[in-house]
Amino acid sequence: METIANSVFDSEEQQHAAIQRLSYAFELQRRDFLKALGGGVLVCLAVKNAVTQESGHTQHAASDEDLPNSIAAWLHVSEDGTVTVFTGKVEIGQNIRTSLSQQVAEELRVPLASVQLTMADTELTPFDMGTFGSRTTPIMGRQLRTVAMAARNLLIDMAAQQLHADRNTLVAADGKIRDPKSNHTISYGELTKGQQLTRVIGEDPPETAASDWHAAGASAPKVDARAFVTGQHKYTPDLVRPGMLYGKVLRPAAFHASLGSLDSSEAEKIAGVKVVRDGEFVGVVAPDEHTATKALQALRAKWNSPPQIGDSQLFEHLKSKSEPSSGEHNLHVTGDVQKAMAAAHKAITKSYTVAYIAHCPLEPRAAVAEWSGDKLTVWTGTQRPFGVQEELASAFRIPKETIRVIVPDTGAAYGGKHMGDAAVEAARLAKSAGKPVKLVWTREEEFTWAYFRPAGVIEVNAATGSDGKITAWEFHNYNSGPAGIGTPYDIPNQHIQFHPADSPLRQGSYRGLAATANHFVRESAMDELAHEAGVDPLEFRLRNLTDPRLRAVLEAAAKKLGWGKEKSSGSRGFGIAGGVEKGGYVATCAEVEISPSREVRITRVVEAFECGAIVNPGGLRNQIEGSIVQAIGGALFEAIRFDNGRILNPHFAQYRVPRFSDTPEIEVEMLDRKDLPSAGAGETPIVGLAPAVGNAIFAATGIRLRSLPMIPEGLPQAHPAEA
Amino acid sequence: MAIPLLVNGTEHRVDAPSGEALLTVLRDRLGLTGTKYGCGEGQCGACTVLLDGKPVRSCRLALGTASQKKITTIEGLAQGEHLHPVQETFLRAEAFQCAYCTSGMIMSAVALLDKNPHPSSQEIIRHMDGNICRCGTYPRILAAIRDAALRNR
């Protein structure tokens, strides 16, 4: 299904952003870099196309004539042996600063501590489309290993010359090259002294097999971890620039509202305050946050708001305002579903819904903007520094070459920081203020003016034969998205379709995208089919599944849980769910307790995950555990409430996120497939929790919950009306 | 009129309105940015500091109220290079991902262990429930606090 999903269904970029590839005048940059870096060895990786480079295996030694204009990464070994790697990826808590460093250390044969990553700075790092889609490990990780390997080979060549030795006998380890014959060693730093060597390489596969990894493949502590436990790390909201002012933006009273009138006289009376108005954009700057807030509150604005629908009409709206499918786009059909449904032994026809939810990164969207003449520098927490650079260029009608976007390691994003709203706003305020401006969104702004995970309606019709094999699978997703929409089960007749719709709220990427919604529906419906067929849910899945990797995680999770050892009862239920997405295979088992007062508590979660060769087991485990905890919110209680262009619950007191007391016992089983390429793992571990919990609740109570969140107001007393 | 403020053992005089939140005083006027803004509503715990040893949400506390009291922030925990035991156990458990919540988590945990050196798991959960980690590292944070409590024995 993966190949189908990749070809027929919209990719993440198509869905949420039409991001154009930038082209680079590489020669100029290379010269700039050598100047900035001083002596040493610089290795650059050239790729044909940064989006689809999986197939590129160029063997040529690039000459200046055939230099491609896409450089994906570069690595510098300095005269003191320091290794600096430049990548446009951002660190947002997924721990890639560490896992990428490990991979460089592995192929370059240097201690982890000598590797430094310069990340996400449009002036220093190569273009990168963005940090999303679980692509860092499979693509950037592989590219950095290739660059590091090339650097090592270059250093070995240099050593062979200096030591007058046969390069094939030389051994690189621990930042040094040793000639076993003479026992001479020479460090990388010594080798690069007085050199200014540049090499451009193509995409050869990395040399070191995962089974031979030392630096990679083992847990490594988070790079700079000490700075985080001592409060020393500077996130964007912590930055200070000379003369910096504090900004606030006046938000409309409702979505799509237009500004009728503005009285800013009271605000302007406050010492040090400047009011900035540009069309519909209104903001204030002040010498401190407290004064800026007071000034914002002193603005008197009248807004004209058009009537808008509320959440009670949402699902009806999404279905009625959906687009008809256009040809084969967003559609996958095999066999004849109608015929198979008509011949069903057992069949289900069900409708599921998914609410909008908010990302709630604890670090709100924030930016510090500084103009210096025509040059603009913005520090901001974003997943797409080069995309934000383009947004700024477009907003201020200036060439993007005059804009520098820098992303400090950021307080999370979860797919929510693709856009540069805070950057554009801070830059607009700074332009009028004539001074650097810091803008940090309030939590209420976060809950209101960011974008949401798409809501959706998902309909499924499915049938089984008398042998408990699935014969028909029809699946329609309205608005929530096409990610993970396929089925990994062996079903001869399928009709799978994504229907884009008019979303009343601004929506966009969210960790795992629609794979969470599509897995919830598919794996719940699998449970419904198993129940109809009278087959154990695990046995039913395995009966309809040949994919060995998915079978392996299902069996591993079931074994660790002790599936089938204890039967579900009225007070305790067990559920299972599995899936494949973005190269990761996941199976989740959940155990829920239903108290006599009908409170639902997830008491235990067992998750098996496989994503090829594991780069950093400790970091991977952290991602899996975190995904499970985060998934609890969307599964049980998180939902954005809205009416008439206003968010009704824009505070943590009203929008419940998982807390310590919601956290179950979590057991993680990681299957390390050293024979397979590493896939990303920041997203897919999130998709199995909701259906596993829903299935467990059903096993305990007989109540099938078909909406995410499942129990925002507690467990329903009676069985919800069949859809 | 400058307001006196005792932070991490240092006496400051702050030229700010007494109604200003302690959080922005610490961050913007004293440069102590380890304490974070997460919600401004006392709901997430990212801004937790100790006031005379008790955990408080500095986003909801006025400068005037905090004056004359002993304030401890994340920057005041380590003794030179020597980390506080709770910082050590957070490091050891890798009890963070993006780590934006970490300062508040550590300050809340320090307050708990100062008052109750051997808390039960239920007591830890109850005490920490006002601190949000959106990355979901709660199991690791619990492990780190339990580990720190063991060192109290």
Side-chain angles (χ1 to χ4, degrees):
Chain A
M1 190 60 220
E2 232 187 323
T3 49
I4 295 161
N6 284 345
S7 59
V8 179
F9 293 98
D10 289 347
S11 68
E12 186 163 8
E13 305 83 70
Q14 285 168 319
Q15 282 179 68
H16 300 306
I19 308 162
Q20 289 190 331
R21 197 69 191 91
L22 305 188
S23 63
Y24 274 82
F26 175 67
E27 274 300 294
L28 177 70
Q29 287 207 341
R30 192 175 68 174
R31 275 198 297 273
D32 285 353
F33 260 86
L34 280 179
K35 219 181 292 168
L37 291 166
V41 168
L42 178 70
V43 177
C44 302
L45 178 75
V47 292
K48 282 180 181 157
N49 182 325
V51 183
T52 55
Q53 69 283 72
E54 283 89 344
S55 58
H57 294 287
T58 48
Q59 200 61 47
H60 73 285
S63 69
D64 281 2
E65 280 73 41
D66 62 1
L67 268 181
N69 60 10
S70 300
I71 296 293
W74 48 67
L75 179 155
H76 182 256
V77 184
S78 75
E79 295 181 354
D80 66 2
T82 309
V83 178
T84 314
V85 183
F86 297 81
T87 166
K89 294 291 177 199
V90 303
E91 171 61 53
I92 44 180
Q94 81 285 42
N95 214 22
I96 60 169
R97 185 180 286 284
T98 306
S99 61
L100 291 176
S101 298
Q102 284 180 274
Q103 294 181 78
V104 169
E106 181 63 56
E107 286 291 353
L108 195 53
R109 314 280 195 260
V110 294
L112 183 57
S114 65
V115 180
Q116 287 178 2
L117 250 63
T118 296
M119 301 174 80
D121 179 332
T122 59
E123 198 157 295
L124 299 181
T125 66
F127 171 82
D128 185 82
M129 196 159 54
T131 305
F132 53 78
S134 294
R135 304 147 86 108
T136 300
T137 298
I139 297 176
M140 183 54 66
R142 184 176 177 281
Q143 290 175 339
L144 292 188
R145 283 166 55 207
T146 295
V147 179
M149 172 190 73
R152 178 197 359 128
N153 285 332
L154 179 61
L155 290 161
I156 290 177
D157 286 341
M158 292 161 71
Q161 235 176 13
Q162 288 199 23
L163 300 172
H164 306 290
D166 175 3
R167 83 175 303 287
N168 294 318
T169 65
L170 297 180
V171 180
D174 207 25
K176 299 182 198 80
I177 293 168
R178 186 170 64 91
D179 178 3
K181 273 194 200 148
S182 65
N183 223 9
H184 277 135
T185 58
I186 184 159
S187 74
Y188 290 177
E190 291 172 87
L191 276 171
T192 62
K193 270 212 178 78
Q195 303 276 352
Q196 267 213 347
L197 266 182
T198 302
R199 183 165 287 188
V200 178
I201 55 151
E203 288 192 89
D204 298 329
E207 274 175 356
T208 311
S211 50
D212 296 328
W213 281 351
H214 294 96
S219 295
K222 185 180 176 78
V223 170
D224 297 335
R226 195 184 166 97
F228 293 97
V229 300
T230 53
Q232 296 305 309
H233 173 71
K234 300 286 186 210
Y235 298 88
T236 297
D238 304 330
L239 299 176
V240 177
R241 299 294 301 167
M244 186 180 81
L245 301 175
Y246 294 77
K248 293 278 171 196
V249 174
L250 180 68
R251 302 296 173 184
F255 299 127
H256 312 294
S258 58
L259 186 57
S261 66
L262 175 74
D263 175 3
S264 58
S265 54
E266 289 302 312
E268 272 159 314
K269 282 182 199 157
I270 303 171
V273 167
K274 184 176 172 71
V275 177
V276 178
R277 180 165 180 189
D278 184 346
E280 298 272 297
F281 176 86
V282 180
V284 298
V285 292
D288 62 83
E289 175 98 16
H290 186 72
T291 308
T293 303
K294 283 217 165 329
L296 183 74
Q297 289 163 348
L299 292 174
R300 295 284 165 262
K302 286 209 169 66
W303 297 94
N304 302 314
S305 314
Q308 294 163 62
I309 69 157
D311 48 35
S312 61
Q313 302 129 283
L314 172 64
F315 300 120
E316 203 180 306
H317 175 90
L318 291 178
K319 269 210 75 180
S320 66
K321 300 280 184 183
S322 65
E323 291 170 19
S325 74
S326 49
E328 306 225 320
H329 185 60
N330 285 325
L331 174 68
H332 165 67
V333 177
T334 53
D336 187 334
V337 162
Q338 262 68 39
K339 217 155 124 192
M341 286 297 289
H345 177 66
K346 300 277 185 187
I348 58 163
T349 294
K350 304 294 176 192
S351 183
Y352 286 72
T353 63
V354 182
Y356 290 109
I357 62 174
H359 305 83
C360 315
L362 217 51
E363 178 193 325
R365 282 147 187 85
V368 175
E370 179 173 306
W371 293 86
S372 171
D374 291 336
K375 190 162 164 39
L376 171 64
T377 304
V378 179
W379 292 260
T380 188
T382 177
Q383 294 171 257
R384 292 174 54 240
F386 290 87
V388 171
Q389 186 191 37
E390 295 256 323
E391 280 182 59
L392 289 163
S394 148
F396 296 99
R397 299 184 197 92
I398 53 175
K400 60 179 182 284
E401 291 74 22
T402 63
I403 301 165
R404 180 178 185 183
V405 176
I406 303 169
V407 183
D409 290 8
T410 293
Y414 319 117
K417 290 180 178 170
H418 281 218
M419 307 305 288
D421 311 85
V424 173
E425 291 163 359
R428 183 65 195 83
L429 293 173
K431 199 169 172 60
S432 286
K435 284 183 176 168
V437 168
K438 173 152 71 184
L439 173 70
V440 181
W441 281 18
T442 63
R443 185 53 54 186
E444 185 172 336
E445 286 179 292
E446 268 287 316
F447 268 117
T448 310
W449 298 99
Y451 54 86
F452 303 100
R453 182 191 75 179
V457 177
I458 302 175
E459 294 172 342
V460 58
N461 305 317
T464 52
S466 55
D467 56 355
K469 294 252 194 167
I470 308 168
T471 53
W473 185 261
E474 183 172 5
F475 197 93
H476 295 270
N477 177 314
Y478 297 89
N479 189 64
S480 106
I485 198 172
T487 172
Y489 300 103
D490 309 323
I491 307 173
N493 303 292
Q494 300 183 14
H495 177 120
I496 295 168
Q497 193 166 4
F498 168 57
H499 306 260
D502 170 57
S503 169
L505 299 187
R506 187 185 184 203
Q507 60 183 24
S509 292
Y510 191 101
R511 189 179 202 175
L513 302 177
T516 295
N518 287 324
H519 276 70
F520 170 64
V521 177
R522 189 190 71 228
E523 291 298 303
S524 297
M526 287 294 290
D527 228 55
E528 301 204 52
L529 284 173
H531 183 70
E532 290 291 327
V535 181
D536 170 81
L538 172 63
E539 157 60 21
F540 181 73
R541 283 174 173 80
L542 295 175
R543 193 179 289 183
N544 286 283
L545 183 65
T546 46
D547 184 331
R549 294 174 75 181
L550 184 51
R551 288 183 69 96
V553 287
L554 280 165
E555 283 164 349
K559 186 175 172 211
K560 202 173 180 86
L561 177 94
W563 182 263
K565 280 193 184 141
E566 191 185 340
K567 295 282 168 225
S568 295
S569 65
S571 61
R572 185 184 301 272
F574 299 92
I576 190 165
V580 190
E581 175 65 1
K582 297 195 167 98
Y585 290 75
V586 63
T588 312
C589 292
E591 178 183 329
V592 301
E593 259 177 32
I594 317 290
S595 75
S597 57
R598 296 177 65 75
E599 272 169 51
V600 177
R601 197 180 145 60
I602 307 169
T603 49
R604 187 179 170 214
V605 173
V606 176
E607 186 159 299
F609 190 69
E610 188 257 289
C611 56
I614 299 172
V615 175
N616 180 347
L620 175 61
R621 186 178 292 275
N622 204 340
Q623 285 299 309
I624 297 170
E625 292 168 353
S627 291
I628 291 167
V629 172
Q630 191 168 58
I632 291 169
L636 296 186
F637 37 70
E638 281 183 44
I640 284 290
R641 307 291 317 275
F642 63 98
D643 194 23
N644 229 356
R646 290 178 177 85
I647 301 301
L648 304 177
N649 54 347
H651 306 280
F652 280 132
Q654 301 154 333
Y655 182 97
R656 180 179 168 194
V657 297
R659 290 179 182 266
F660 279 95
S661 53
D662 297 307
T663 306
E665 289 297 319
I666 295 174
E667 294 161 56
V668 170
E669 180 89 8
M670 302 188 294
L671 308 185
D672 190 7
R673 289 290 302 269
K674 291 192 187 297
D675 55 321
L676 293 171
S678 309
E683 300 186 85
T684 301
I686 204 172
V687 303
L689 188 277
V693 168
N695 294 341
I697 292 173
F698 176 80
T701 65
I703 298 174
R704 176 62 64 185
L705 298 166
R706 297 194 184 89
S707 296
L708 289 183
M710 288 186 275
I711 49 166
E713 272 126 39
L715 190 62
Q717 280 297 328
H719 199 294
E722 289 294 309
Chain B
M1 189 187 68
I3 297 174
L5 198 66
L6 181 61
V7 185
N8 300 331
T10 304
E11 180 86 42
H12 299 269
R13 298 194 73 78
V14 181
D15 193 12
S18 70
E20 181 168 333
L22 177 62
L23 175 64
T24 59
V25 172
L26 292 171
R27 289 177 51 79
D28 301 336
R29 298 183 188 275
L30 303 180
L32 297 170
T33 54
T35 307
K36 304 301 182 198
Y37 169 89
C39 69
E41 297 159 357
Q43 294 289 330
C44 79
C47 66
T48 304
V49 300
L50 306 186
L51 193 71
D52 286 343
K54 294 200 179 67
V56 294
R57 307 297 187 229
S58 62
C59 72
R60 306 292 292 165
L61 190 76
L63 167 61
T65 313
S67 178
Q68 313 292 347
K69 300 216 165 77
K70 201 177 133 207
I71 297 159
T72 310
T73 71
I74 187 75
E75 291 90 349
L77 282 190
Q79 304 289 321
E81 284 300 293
H82 196 65
L83 294 181
H84 187 282
V86 175
Q87 290 173 310
E88 290 278 6
T89 58
F90 267 64
L91 267 185
R92 182 193 299 223
E94 195 126 312
F96 37 74
Q97 283 179 21
C98 81
Y100 193 81
C101 72
T102 302
S103 299
M105 290 286 178
I106 290 176
M107 297 314 291
S108 289
V110 166
L112 169 68
L113 295 176
D114 282 351
K115 194 178 70 180
N116 179 1
H118 309 294
S120 67
S121 286
Q122 276 316 307
E123 285 171 326
I124 299 175
I125 289 169
R126 207 176 308 133
H127 178 86
M128 299 297 295
D129 220 28
N131 287 70
I132 292 172
C133 171
R134 186 58 165 164
C135 298
T137 65
Y138 299 129
R140 285 160 181 261
I141 297 171
L142 290 176
I145 297 173
R146 282 193 207 109
D147 190 13
L150 278 178
R151 292 173 185 215
N152 285 333
R153 288 183 192 276

